[in-house]
Amino acid sequence: MEMENSPKELKGVVKINDDVIATIVAMALAEVKGIRPATGGSFMEELAEKLGKKPTPKGVKIEVDEDEVSVDLSITVEYGMKIPNLVWEVQEKIKETVEEMTGYKVKEVNVTVQGVHFARRVGEREEEG
């Protein structure tokens, strides 16, 4: 006996809001060591602000065209990190996480490195430059 509304027969459209994708990007970035959003703070702080009142994490712009996503973001890197390697890691992490969670294809991840931050030894205050 066949069910009338089996999952294979259901039709409809699933749209994931850009803010949701931006949040996924911010969470993925929080897992990459040696970077911060270009606006200062941490990606998790940015995410907490977003959940409280901000519409999208700062420094993250999302564009969705049908089922393809383009991501533009600005970061600062920790002094001493190899920028090309770090940016590649950021791009791969975002691509992997967004595709896994949304089912959308990530068309491009454009990263702008807007600065370098200097971290002092543990227990001392961090400075930005």
Side-chain angles (χ1 to χ4, degrees):
M1 183 167 124
E2 281 189 59
M3 293 178 58
E4 237 175 83
N5 288 326
S6 71
K8 293 178 185 177
E9 294 176 21
L10 291 178
K11 295 184 182 186
V13 176
V14 175
K15 170 129 173 65
I16 300 172
N17 189 292
D18 293 1
D19 292 347
V20 173
I21 298 170
T23 300
I24 293 168
V25 168
M27 291 171 63
L29 289 171
E31 296 178 24
V32 179
K33 293 183 192 236
I35 64 167
R36 292 183 180 178
T39 57
S42 72
F43 286 104
M44 292 312 284
E45 288 169 356
E46 296 290 329
L47 180 59
E49 278 186 43
K50 181 202 178 316
L51 295 174
K53 53 192 151 178
K54 303 286 182 194
T56 56
K58 296 173 188 170
V60 178
K61 180 183 171 205
I62 304 297
E63 235 177 82
V64 180
D65 184 24
E66 293 188 22
D67 63 346
E68 289 189 329
V69 177
S70 295
V71 179
D72 294 306
L73 62 116
S74 299
I75 61 172
T76 63
V77 298
E78 184 177 312
Y79 177 78
M81 301 295 288
K82 292 183 179 180
I83 294 173
N85 295 351
L86 194 57
V87 169
W88 181 85
E89 184 181 348
V90 164
Q91 290 171 316
E92 287 297 308
K93 186 66 176 175
I94 290 171
K95 180 182 185 304
E96 175 186 305
T97 305
V98 170
E99 287 182 351
E100 182 179 304
M101 290 186 72
T102 67
Y104 290 170
K105 180 178 184 243
V106 175
K107 180 178 169 183
E108 61 187 4
V109 178
N110 302 305
V111 180
T112 301
V113 178
Q114 288 193 329
V116 175
H117 66 270
F118 301 92
R120 292 185 175 184
R121 298 186 190 277
V122 177
E124 294 182 19
R125 223 178 92 211
E126 290 186 358
E127 292 181 9
E128 292 222 10

